[in-house]
Amino acid sequence: MYFLNFLSSTKIPNFLFQDFKMEEQTLINGENMMSIDNNINNGGSVNNLQQQDRLSSLPEPLLTKILTHLPLHSAATTSVLSHRWRHRWTKVSRLILDSYHFHMSHSSHGYLKFAKFSATVNHILQQVTPPTIRTFFLRYPYPETEDEIEKWSSFFAIWIRQICSRNPEELMVTLQPPGEISPLLTLPACVFETLSLVKLELCGRFVCEFPDNTKNRGFVLPNLKTLELNSVHMSPDLMGKFVKCCPLLESLSLDLKWVENRLVMEISGANLKFLDVEMNGSSEHSKFLIDAPQLEDIRLHGCFAYYHFVNNQSTLIEANLGFHPTTIFQGKKDNLSCFSVLFGEISSAKVLHLWDNLDVLNCVNANVLKSFNYLTGLRLTYVSAFKGNPIPACLLAKLKWIEMDEINGSDNDLKLLKYILRKAEVLEEVFVKVSFMEVATDDETDQDLLWKEIEFCRKLFKLSRKSLTCEIQFSGDYIQSSSKHSQNGSIVCQVDSLNQYELLLQM
């Protein structure tokens, strides 16, 4: 009845039970299920198994729901429990197929890896029975040979058509290429005819096949709320039309690699709340016209482009900006003027998040910065280089909290924090996250880096503050501390790496 009598007749390949790693924690009494499986493999008696097998008494819909929330390989393993469990795993509606979770030897030939993975995917798709596949996730490295590319293209088209015929709600495909000159792979048109889609994520060098009537009547994905396109080859005009065809779209992420100059893209979404644009490529003077009256969170990174908001962004909560400095400066006056325009159009933001370079703030018209009437928070990530007054006083005067991430504890970092603390009048909290590891030398030990953190933290807490109520929260690779507990040159730290909860350090 159990594993020993059933294994020889099962149609499920043995590697299906062995090659998927755990992808998430077991849910809803999954521990009981795994303990049964372990007991079987360890030769446990049938009586013990029957005593532990409390899951089988649960209603069938609930059992299927439990299996759906288990990693796929764990769900498939339950087929060896008994005859009743043999095909239950095939009812799952959540398929996570990730080649990175395979135990594949590094010495194996690439084609064998590809053949093994494709055989597994083919088998699973043939076995699962639900008419609706709610979630389908597929990730695989870009094929290594021409033969693999040809075979992959054929398999991929078949898999996507099979999934789209089962009305998926979430479709996520990642194909990581070895370089930007790899051949494009075709994404079947059925993806854009799947009306059930709520989430669509495409990452890889795909070229999209659109339905035949797209140019005349367009198409509509009426339920799509999340769209991510990373490295997908699509013209700006067609991409803009695609976004318009998603009336309920709330989250849009675009990773673009444009090489042509003066491209124009229109992003229009009545319900769009989150917009993420990463510009990578040699394109110059490209423009984005954004019509999103409900936008709350915007992230603009990479090469600088001309961003223009059609509506007043009164709903904006956070603006996250991280442009390559070389695309802003170097005498490009048009870029600098457009940067002021951009800041003026996002001036209703409550939080400003800046990456890499603070000098951009000094390029923005002072009157524009003064118009940030609702600004209360500032995040700075990988910021160290600056000239003059890095943050204009009109901004510092508004801030209630500041967060500095990923700094390396240099004298320049301390200088910036000193400037902030002496100028910010209503500041309530400063969060500082430091890592000395990236700049550590080969001969520096953990104890050396720990001491550096302690010294930096001590100097930080000694800095004078214009706001008497301001507290500083410090977090490093080894210690966490708060200025609230700092008195007379001493600091209280939590030193996790030494398994101590608190350590009073007399400096």
Side-chain angles (χ1 to χ4, degrees), residues 66-119:
I66 293 173
L67 290 178
T68 295
H69 285 83
L70 284 174
L72 186 57
H73 80 288
S74 298
T77 304
T78 63
S79 64
V80 304
L81 294 178
S82 70
H83 179 77
R84 184 186 173 196
W85 283 85
R86 181 180 301 184
H87 300 295
R88 182 171 281 138
W89 78 273
T90 65
K91 298 178 182 179
V92 298
S93 59
R94 178 176 174 268
L95 303 179
I96 308 296
L97 303 171
D98 191 344
S99 67
Y100 290 90
H101 290 174
F102 270 67
H103 294 291
M104 295 186 293
S105 172
H106 293 291
S107 61
S108 298
H109 189 276
Y111 181 77
L112 295 178
K113 297 179 184 179
F114 170 77
K116 190 174 184 180
F117 179 72
S118 58

Side-chain angles (χ1 to χ4, degrees), residues 8 81 137 157 232 254 302 305 316 358 376 391 403 500:
S8 60
L81 294 178
F137 176 91
V232 175
L254 303 174
L316 196 61
L358 281 177
T376 59
I391 305 174
E403 181 178 305
Q500 298 177 5

Side-chain angles (χ1 to χ4, degrees), residues 22-267:
M22 292 294 288
E23 299 158 5
E24 62 182 357
Q25 293 183 346
T26 305
L27 303 178
I28 317 176
N29 288 331
E31 307 85 9
N32 293 338
M33 192 176 298
M34 295 306 294
S35 67
I36 295 172
D37 184 37
N38 292 334
N39 198 324
I40 293 171
N41 290 322
N42 293 328
S45 68
V46 172
N47 290 334
N48 288 338
L49 289 171
Q50 289 174 337
Q51 291 176 1
Q52 294 184 45
D53 187 10
R54 298 189 299 271
L55 288 174
S56 294
S57 61
L58 296 175
E60 193 73 23
L62 181 56
L63 287 174
T64 300
K65 186 174 182 179
I66 293 173
L67 290 178
T68 295
H69 285 83
L70 284 174
L72 186 57
H73 80 288
S74 298
T77 304
T78 63
S79 64
V80 304
L81 294 178
S82 70
H83 179 77
R84 184 186 173 196
W85 283 85
R86 181 180 301 184
H87 300 295
R88 182 171 281 138
W89 78 273
T90 65
K91 298 178 182 179
V92 298
S93 59
R94 178 176 174 268
L95 303 179
I96 308 296
L97 303 171
D98 191 344
S99 67
Y100 290 90
H101 290 174
F102 270 67
H103 294 291
M104 295 186 293
S105 172
H106 293 291
S107 61
S108 298
H109 189 276
Y111 181 77
L112 295 178
K113 297 179 184 179
F114 170 77
K116 190 174 184 180
F117 179 72
S118 58
T120 302
V121 176
N122 279 331
H123 177 82
I124 290 173
L125 293 183
Q126 290 171 5
Q127 293 293 312
V128 291
T129 59
T132 298
I133 298 295
R134 297 191 180 279
T135 300
F136 181 75
F137 176 91
L138 176 69
R139 181 167 67 166
Y140 191 80
Y142 198 91
E144 298 177 1
T145 66
E146 292 185 5
D147 185 43
E148 282 186 20
I149 292 173
E150 183 178 352
K151 289 180 180 296
W152 173 268
S153 299
S154 177
F155 283 137
F156 179 70
I158 294 172
W159 297 339
I160 294 300
R161 291 190 182 101
Q162 287 181 4
I163 294 300
C164 288
S165 69
R166 298 193 186 190
N167 303 312
E169 294 180 4
E170 298 182 337
L171 179 60
M172 296 159 283
V173 179
T174 296
L175 188 63
Q176 297 177 331
E180 296 185 4
I181 59 174
S182 307
L184 298 173
L185 296 181
T186 301
L187 189 71
C190 61
V191 171
F192 307 100
E193 297 175 310
T194 305
L195 305 184
S196 57
L197 281 176
V198 176
K199 181 178 183 179
L200 176 61
E201 294 181 0
L202 303 173
C203 178
R205 287 179 54 78
F206 295 114
V207 58
C208 300
E209 275 187 356
F210 285 95
D212 294 335
N213 62 354
T214 298
K215 292 183 179 180
N216 298 325
R217 294 186 300 153
F219 60 92
V220 177
L221 295 179
N223 298 300
L224 195 67
K225 293 185 177 181
T226 301
L227 174 62
E228 179 179 336
L229 301 176
N230 185 334
S231 304
V232 175
H233 281 241
M234 191 183 302
S235 70
D237 179 62
L238 193 53
M239 192 173 290
K241 290 180 179 178
F242 181 16
V243 173
K244 274 189 175 181
C245 293
C246 310
L248 296 184
L249 193 64
E250 296 179 356
S251 176
L252 174 62
S253 299
L254 303 174
D255 191 323
L256 307 173
K257 294 177 174 60
W258 289 352
V259 295
E260 298 180 36
N261 292 331
R262 303 188 183 279
L263 297 174
V264 179
M265 179 175 174
E266 296 183 19
I267 299 176

Side-chain angles (χ1 to χ4, degrees), residues 320-489:
N320 185 326
L321 307 178
F323 301 115
H324 298 324
T326 54
T327 66
I328 303 174
F329 304 109
Q330 296 182 344
K332 297 181 179 180
K333 295 182 179 180
D334 290 343
N335 285 5
L336 297 180
S337 63
C338 288
F339 207 74
S340 286
V341 172
L342 171 61
F343 264 71
E345 293 179 345
I346 63 172
S347 60
S348 63
K350 297 177 178 62
V351 178
L352 191 59
H353 189 170
L354 300 178
W355 292 63
D356 300 326
N357 199 302
L358 281 177
D359 290 338
V360 294
L361 289 175
N362 293 309
C363 301
V364 179
N365 186 285
N367 291 328
V368 172
L369 294 178
K370 290 178 182 178
S371 66
F372 277 75
N373 297 321
Y374 305 102
L375 190 69
T376 59
L378 177 65
R379 287 193 177 96
L380 305 175
T381 303
Y382 292 114
V383 169
S384 58
F386 58 89
K387 300 176 183 178
N389 295 331
I391 305 174
C394 60
L395 280 186
L396 282 176
K398 306 172 186 291
L399 298 174
K400 293 187 176 181
W401 61 268
I402 292 179
E403 181 178 305
M404 288 184 63
D405 291 337
E406 307 298 338
I407 62 175
N408 56 30
S410 66
D411 292 339
N412 216 28
D413 294 330
L414 205 60
K415 181 181 176 182
L416 175 58
L417 285 162
K418 180 179 180 180
Y419 169 80
I420 291 173
L421 292 171
R422 290 180 64 182
K423 296 292 184 180
E425 300 178 3
V426 297
L427 202 58
E428 297 175 0
E429 281 191 297
V430 175
F431 303 89
V432 180
K433 297 181 181 179
V434 178
S435 177
F436 286 94
M437 288 187 174
E438 292 187 5
V439 294
T441 59
D442 293 338
D443 58 345
E444 285 186 304
T445 64
D446 286 342
Q447 288 79 5
D448 294 330
L449 299 179
L450 171 60
W451 182 252
K452 280 188 174 183
E453 285 190 7
I454 294 172
E455 280 292 289
F456 186 92
C457 185
R458 181 183 63 82
K459 292 177 181 179
L460 176 61
F461 289 171
K462 281 186 175 182
L463 294 177
S464 61
R465 296 161 230 173
K466 190 165 188 178
S467 173
L468 299 179
T469 59
C470 177
E471 292 185 8
I472 304 174
Q473 306 292 336
F474 176 88
S475 177
D477 296 317
Y478 299 90
I479 67 171
Q480 292 80 42
S481 186
S482 171
S483 63
K484 184 178 181 180
H485 305 296
S486 174
Q487 294 181 353
N488 301 323

